Amino acid sequence: MAQWTSAVGAAQLARLLGSQQDRPAGPGTRRPPAYRALADGIRLLVLEGRVPVAARLPAERELALALSVSRTTVAAAYEALRGEGFLESRRGAGSWTAVPAGNPVPARGLEPLPPEALGSMIDLGCAALPAPEPWLTRAVQGALEELPPYAHTHGDYPAGLPALRAMIADRYTRRGIATMPEQIMVTTGAMGAIDAICHLFGGRGERIAVESPSYANILQLMREAGARLVPVAMAEGLTGWDLDRWRQVLREAAPRIAYVVADFHNPTGALADDDQRRRLVDAARSAGTVLVADETMSELWLDEDVEMPRPVCAFDPAGSTVITVGSASKAFWAGMRIGWVRAAPDVIRSLVAARAYADLGTPVLEQLAVNWLFGTGGWEEAVQLRRVQARQNRDELVSAVRRELPGWEFEVPCGGLTLWVRTGGLSGSRLAEAGERVGVRVPSGPRFGVDGAFEGYVRLPFTVGGAVAEEAAVRLAAAARIVETGGTTGGEAPRTFVA
């Protein structure tokens, strides 16, 4: 019986391999044999999760034709992968990807680093900061005081606690967007909100337009929901959205949903202005596309002179086009898994009805904690602490990377939590692999793209500062040297680092 659970076509694998472009070899740098380069490329795709484990690979002859190489080269590459534990084969069943015994199965999103690895590994994978104390403790204590009346109920509130729904609606109203509690559903984080929206509007096979690049975990959520992703390229630097291109894609592809992060875009940090937001909403309305606006970064402006544009939903007064997603996870703490959806009442009713077959509701205690923060002014105090911390981390990380890696290019965003860095022609996938070997975990650009795009990028979050940022840059420079020379770490284990 075959051991594979999915298949990768020859053309698709060739396209993914073709995205792995390194800078030209310098003097004295040895190019690996063709079979070795092919084996390394496939291994990297497996380690990154861009080719799933247990995926059937093309037959040797098919892949040789797609790559314009000899069948002998492909056969030798497959044999090398079998010897390393990354490929298994059976006569009559073909060959399928695997991972060696003891290796973790790679994830295609940005999974958190296990706590036991934090002593020796600097984690630049997740764009999340520690909790802003003492506000987390105070919020939980406040929630416990409010809990007894709810403890006498069944505890399931599919739309969210009425008090929190009213509080979130009032916050939108104070921003100039008249909102009723009936327009709010509380969810388990922003991921829970977008998952619910995708299942309601984007059934299997439906097109979803996404920024390119976009947030890796959301892209993977959409893939696993069976969506067909339609990438729309972001402009260079922090200029953001090419509205002519968006209008063309929405008109021609007619996607059911479009997903955008207009507030300090993840990963680029771009901030859409009022005109871009207005034109994007108009284009979505003309195409009959539901525009999902992710506001999870909207309160994380870091520079004092930033003038925040109006919310995307402000340009949809009828409420028929824009669905807004918010969250406490980025502005407050990732461990506070509270998100929300703002939409027309009929959309909220449909989302709530569908929730009966998913998670029934969001934890009551966490909802009470967020409600306490909103109602006491603690939220504003905590977010201000978060801005100060993120601004300091950003400035220290920028300084360290510029010193250690002067050939890397990026623009410094005025908010959010991430730098989008062009790596001077180096492969982001190879940098990520080398980084693991020298003790720094960094996500490569292709995780944020569709079909292998952005191989020459990595994302660096403002989650570390001070001496840790300095050490992270030193380790990234060591990883870059490994990739540049095709060398090794010399067998040295990464140093244990205590922040």
Side-chain angles (χ1 to χ4, degrees), residues 436-457:
E436 295 274 353
R437 292 153 60 189
V438 298
V440 60
R441 180 173 180 262
V442 58
S444 67
R447 289 184 176 237
F448 303 88
V450 177
D451 287 337
F454 307 109
E455 185 61 55
Y457 290 81

Side-chain angles (χ1 to χ4, degrees), residues 266-290:
N266 187 353
T268 68
L271 176 65
D273 61 28
D274 279 337
D275 183 61
Q276 288 173 318
R277 294 167 190 240
R278 180 183 296 104
R279 293 174 62 194
L280 185 58
V281 173
D282 289 345
R285 184 184 298 113
S286 297
T289 296
V290 175

Side-chain angles (χ1 to χ4, degrees), residues 7 58 74-75 103 130 147 154 159 182 260 280 305 324 356 369 372 387 425 463 488 494:
V74 177
N103 280 36
L147 182 60
H154 51 62
E182 292 79 9
V260 297
L280 185 58
D305 59 350
T324 302
W372 183 92
R387 293 190 192 111
T463 52
T488 67

Side-chain angles (χ1 to χ4, degrees), residues 29-55:
T29 302
R30 292 184 301 171
R31 284 290 189 187
Y35 85 90
R36 183 69 261 173
L38 176 55
D40 287 346
I42 294 174
R43 176 172 53 82
L44 278 171
L45 292 173
V46 173
L47 288 172
E48 285 239 306
R50 291 159 62 202
V51 168
V53 175

Side-chain angles (χ1 to χ4, degrees), residues 165-357:
R165 296 176 72 196
M167 187 71 74
I168 294 170
D170 182 61
R171 289 174 64 84
Y172 277 106
T173 298
R174 283 187 274 120
R175 293 169 68 190
I177 316 298
T179 303
M180 303 179 295
E182 292 79 9
Q183 291 177 263
I184 302 296
M185 181 177 83
V186 180
T187 62
T188 307
M191 292 287 289
I194 293 168
D195 182 57
I197 293 166
C198 286
H199 279 89
L200 181 63
F201 289 99
R204 186 164 294 276
E206 289 280 4
R207 295 184 179 92
I208 300 180
V210 294
E211 297 145 328
S212 183
S214 187
Y215 179 38
N217 286 341
I218 293 296
L219 294 181
Q220 188 57 23
L221 181 156
M222 292 173 175
R223 290 186 187 104
E224 293 182 358
R228 297 162 60 190
L229 300 184
V230 182
V232 186
M234 296 284 286
E236 283 294 320
L238 298 177
T239 55
W241 291 259
D242 181 342
L243 272 302
D244 290 336
R245 178 62 177 154
W246 266 101
R247 186 174 293 278
Q248 177 186 3
V249 169
L250 294 179
R251 182 178 63 249
E252 296 178 357
R256 187 70 182 90
I257 301 174
Y259 169 76
V260 297
V261 185
D263 299 289
F264 308 119
H265 175 259
N266 187 353
T268 68
L271 176 65
D273 61 28
D274 279 337
D275 183 61
Q276 288 173 318
R277 294 167 190 240
R278 180 183 296 104
R279 293 174 62 194
L280 185 58
V281 173
D282 289 345
R285 184 184 298 113
S286 297
T289 296
V290 175
L291 182 62
V292 180
D294 187 335
E295 288 190 337
T296 55
M297 297 280 193
S298 64
E299 297 193 60
L300 290 177
W301 64 85
L302 304 184
D303 296 332
E304 296 298 332
D305 59 350
V306 176
E307 292 188 15
M308 287 300 296
R310 300 175 67 197
V312 174
C313 60
F315 302 98
D316 180 36
S320 59
T321 298
V322 177
I323 297 178
T324 302
V325 171
S327 173
S329 296
K330 297 298 185 185
F332 187 76
W333 184 47
M336 188 69 77
R337 305 304 304 159
I338 298 295
W340 53 86
V341 178
R342 181 198 181 275
D346 61 321
V347 172
I348 295 297
R349 286 193 294 271
S350 297
L351 288 170
V352 171
R355 197 170 192 181
Y357 308 101

